[in-house]
Amino acid sequence: MQVENKLRAAQRYFLMGADCIVETKSEKHFGARIVDLSINGAQVYSKNQLGSSGDIIEVYLRLNLGEEDHVFSLKSVITNVRMDKGFKLFKHGIKFIEVDHKAEILLKNYIYKSMTE
């Protein structure tokens, strides 16, 4: 039985922590880590709050696919922000916007590869 999930349009897949750079609306750059990923968005952990719900950010991410590194520049909107007081990290839910066709195909391939390993 499939359960309807009203929060996410696509299943997310856990990553071992892909490092990324996030450019905020004030053009500041912060290091962050993506801990789960879907074709529509991700959860990003950072020591810094990257913005508030509704803010637009740019996420720069490098993923290895078929022994080739691919660099993604993903315009995103922050959907939620929570503070993990135990780890002293901000957890950001983000949704990708304006993803080009090539990047979408590469993300799908990366997710599929992750599922089969």
Side-chain angles (χ1 to χ4, degrees):
M1 180 170 92
Q2 187 172 10
V3 178
E4 185 177 342
N5 184 341
K6 294 183 188 255
L7 295 177
R8 294 187 177 97
Q11 178 67 40
R12 287 192 175 171
Y13 297 94
F14 178 75
L15 297 176
M16 291 304 293
D19 292 329
C20 64
I21 301 292
V22 176
E23 182 179 338
T24 64
K25 68 179 183 177
S26 62
E27 298 185 9
K28 292 184 180 176
H29 292 82
F30 295 102
R33 181 161 284 203
I34 292 180
V35 295
D36 66 30
L37 176 72
S38 78
I39 59 166
N40 297 323
Q43 186 172 65
V44 179
Y45 287 14
S46 177
K47 291 180 182 178
N48 304 94
Q49 185 170 350
L50 304 174
S52 302
S53 292
D55 286 351
I56 304 297
I57 59 174
E58 193 79 23
V59 178
Y60 302 96
L61 171 67
R62 179 187 317 248
L63 296 174
N64 184 276
L65 240 169
E67 299 186 24
E68 275 188 53
D69 282 344
H70 295 273
V71 178
F72 297 86
S73 175
L74 301 165
K75 189 172 189 177
S76 307
V77 61
I78 298 174
T79 58
N80 64 71
V81 180
R82 296 185 314 262
M83 175 65 169
D84 185 324
K85 294 179 183 174
F87 290 104
K88 297 180 181 173
L89 293 171
F90 289 93
K91 296 179 179 183
H92 304 80
I94 64 170
K95 180 181 178 185
F96 304 140
I97 52 179
E98 299 177 13
V99 178
D100 68 45
H101 186 66
K102 181 180 177 185
E104 182 180 349
I105 289 171
L106 289 170
L107 282 171
K108 285 178 181 178
N109 287 340
Y110 181 83
I111 291 168
Y112 178 75
K113 178 184 161 206
S114 298
M115 289 171 35
T116 58
E117 291 180 341

